[in-house]
Amino acid sequence: MRRVCITGVGVISSLGNDRAEFWDGLTSGVAAIGPKLGMDMEQFRFKNVAAANGYKPEANFEAKELALLDRFAQFALVAADEAVKQAGVEWTEALREDTAVVTGSCLGGRGAEEVGYWELFHNNKNRVHPLTIPLSMSNAGASHISMKYGTRGAAYTISTACSSSAHAIGQAFWMVRSGAAPMAITGGSEAPLFLGSLKAWEAMRVISKDTCRPFSADRTGLILGEGGAMLVLEPLDDALARGAKPLAEIVGFGMTSDAAHLTNPSGDGATSAMRKAIKDSGLALEQFGYINAHGTATQANDSVESAAIRTVFGKQAVAVSSTKSMHGHTLGAAGALEAVASVMALQCGVLPPTANYTTPDPECELDVIPNEARAVRVEACLSNSFAFGGLNAVLAFKAI
C-alpha cells in the first residue's frame, strides 16, 4: 500500500475566505460568531451563528454560473480551487481519467428547496424554479468539481450527518492508498443557515443563545456554522517526484456505528473509532500528541467524548481542542474544516485553542488548550467526527 500525503488545502468559513485567514483566525483564539448579515435573527431563540459573512458569490462566479450553484456547492468549488492551486496539480489525460472526487454534505442544497417551498406555500405560485433539482442535489458539489477539472474517476457524495466529510476524506484516503485512484479531491461543504434549517435546530434546543464553549462546565450548546474545505490527496512518492511540497501525511481512518441511539452519543462507538484509526495508522499511541475533538459544546457530546479519549489514551498526555468554538459546527463540512485545522497544526507546529473556555468541568478532564494557541510540534494527531445516528469517523494525520 502507498503512503498518502496532503499537497493542497482550501477553506472558506466564518473565519475567512481562504486557508490563510482560516489559520490566522484559529491561532488568534477569537470566535467568528455573531448574527448572519441580511437575516432577521430576532425570529429565533438564539441570535448568533458562524456565517461566512465576508463571502461574496459574485467575486467568485459569473452570473450564469451562480444560476447553477447553490451556496453549499459554491463553497465546495471555491475550496477545491484553492486546494488544487496549492497542490500545483498538472493535469494530464491519464490523471483526469482516474482521479476521484469524494465529498461530504449533510443537507446539500436544501436552501434551494426552501426557496421553492416558499413560492408554493407562501406566495401561492404553482411552479418552482426549473433548476431546483440540480441546485438542491447533495452531489452537486462533487459533480461541479469533477466538471471543473475534467476528472472522470469515481465522484460521489457521502451524507452521514456531521461525520459526512470525515467519511469522505477517509474513503478517498483508502482509495489513493490502495491504488484505486492516483489522486483525490476530497472534503465537504455545507450552507445550513436558512430559515427552515435554523428553525429545525431551534426546535432541538441544542443551540447556545450566546456562544460555543466546548468542554466548559457552563457550556450551553452548539453554534451552527457554514463553509467548506477541500484537500488534495496523492501518493507521497508521486508528490515528491513531481516536486510538490507535502503538508502532512494521512495515515489512518477508523469508522464505527454506535447501534444505540439516534441522537445520544455512545462512548463505546467513539472509543472504537479512535482505536481503529490508530491501528490503521500503524503508529504507537505515544506518537499522538493532539486531538481535534468533535467538541460540539453540548452537554452530552463533550462529556462522552472526553471519557472516550481518556479510555483510549489513559495516562498518555494528549492535548485536545475544539475549533468549533471559533468556526461553529458546520455539520457535514465539519470533518473537512477540522481535518485542515489538524493538517495545518502539524505543518506549522501550533495547536489551535478551545476558545471561549471559562470553567473546568470534572466530566471533561482533559488538556483542552484553553483560549490561547500553543506553539508545540507533535508527531501525529487525530481528528474526531461523531454524528447523529451514531456514525463515527476518525482521521489520523502525521507530520512530514
Side-chain angles (χ1 to χ4, degrees):
M1 292 190 294
R2 302 180 295 182
R3 294 173 66 184
V4 181
C5 68
I6 301 99
T7 51
V9 296
V11 188
I12 180 166
S13 72
S14 63
L15 291 168
N17 292 332
D18 56 38
R19 64 176 173 270
E21 292 181 356
F22 178 69
W23 183 243
D24 286 346
L26 290 183
T27 54
S28 75
V30 177
I33 291 172
K36 181 182 180 182
L37 297 181
M39 174 173 274
D40 176 17
M41 300 303 295
E42 294 301 317
Q43 60 190 311
F44 307 109
R45 293 180 63 251
F46 54 91
K47 309 305 175 192
N48 295 325
V49 292
N53 284 324
Y55 170 71
K56 306 298 181 187
E58 62 276 8
N60 294 279
F61 301 98
E62 296 180 2
K64 62 181 180 181
E65 295 175 305
L66 288 174
L68 292 167
L69 294 168
D70 183 81
R71 189 173 175 88
F72 96 100
Q74 295 172 39
F75 291 157
L77 277 168
V78 170
D81 185 60
E82 184 180 25
V84 169
K85 285 178 178 175
Q86 184 183 29
V89 178
E90 297 177 0
W91 293 108
T92 64
E93 283 306 301
L95 185 59
R96 285 191 171 97
E97 185 65 28
D98 293 312
T99 288
V101 180
V102 188
T103 64
S105 186
C106 177
L107 300 179
R110 296 254 183 98
E113 288 185 347
E114 179 169 278
V115 172
Y117 294 145
W118 190 264
E119 290 297 300
L120 290 172
F121 304 129
H122 183 79
N123 292 335
N124 296 317
K125 299 289 181 65
N126 66 357
R127 65 183 63 188
V128 300
H129 193 285
L131 298 178
T132 298
I133 294 299
L135 282 167
S136 62
M137 61 190 189
S138 294
N139 64 291
S143 295
H144 280 290
I145 292 170
S146 175
M147 290 186 289
K148 178 178 176 65
Y149 299 106
T151 62
R152 296 182 292 277
Y156 61 100
T157 295
I158 294 171
S159 185
T160 50
C162 304
S163 291
S164 297
S165 54
H167 275 118
I169 295 167
Q171 291 198 19
F173 158 58
W174 281 351
M175 292 176 71
V176 175
R177 185 173 67 175
S178 71
M183 180 178 285
I185 302 169
T186 183
S189 63
E190 204 80 271
L193 305 183
F194 55 91
L195 178 62
S197 172
L198 294 177
K199 279 294 182 182
W201 279 98
E202 178 183 65
M204 287 200 73
R205 301 296 177 99
V206 294
I207 307 295
S208 172
K209 290 184 178 180
D210 51 10
T211 195
C212 179
R213 287 183 288 272
F215 305 116
S216 284
D218 59 347
R219 62 188 182 277
T220 54
L222 60 87
I223 290 288
L224 286 171
E226 64 177 352
M230 294 290 164
L231 304 84
V232 174
L233 310 185
E234 58 183 302
L236 178 59
D237 289 345
D238 291 357
L240 294 175
R242 70 180 183 84
K245 183 180 179 181
L247 308 177
E249 188 174 355
I250 178 168
V251 291
F253 175 51
M255 53 181 172
T256 63
S257 174
D258 290 350
H261 194 278
L262 201 61
T263 56
N264 288 336
S266 161
D268 291 342
T271 297
S272 180
M274 283 187 278
R275 284 177 169 159
K276 287 177 183 291
I278 293 168
K279 181 179 180 180
D280 190 43
S281 75
L283 301 179
L285 192 68
E286 57 267 21
Q287 290 177 270
F288 290 88
Y290 171 63
I291 300 173
N292 188 299
H294 188 56
T296 60
T298 60
Q299 289 295 325
N301 174 88
D302 290 8
S303 57
V304 169
E305 184 174 11
S306 297
I309 290 170
R310 291 194 299 268
T311 298
V312 172
F313 285 86
K315 295 182 178 180
Q316 176 69 38
V318 60
V320 178
S321 70
S322 171
T323 53
K324 287 184 178 72
S325 59
M326 293 172 277
H327 57 65
H329 192 347
T330 56
L331 305 181
L337 266 70
E338 290 153 25
V340 171
S342 300
V343 167
M344 297 188 76
L346 293 177
Q347 181 194 18
C348 300
V350 178
L351 305 182
T354 300
N356 311 314
Y357 188 78
T358 55
T359 308
D361 182 345
E363 293 190 357
C364 302
E365 191 177 349
L366 299 169
D367 174 8
V368 298
I369 318 178
N371 300 318
E372 294 184 5
R374 184 176 299 169
V376 58
R377 291 197 175 275
V378 299
E379 186 176 359
C381 70
L382 296 179
S383 181
N384 289 345
S385 295
F386 306 136
F388 279 176
L391 309 180
N392 309 301
V394 178
L395 297 162
F397 299 97
K398 183 177 180 292
I400 290 182

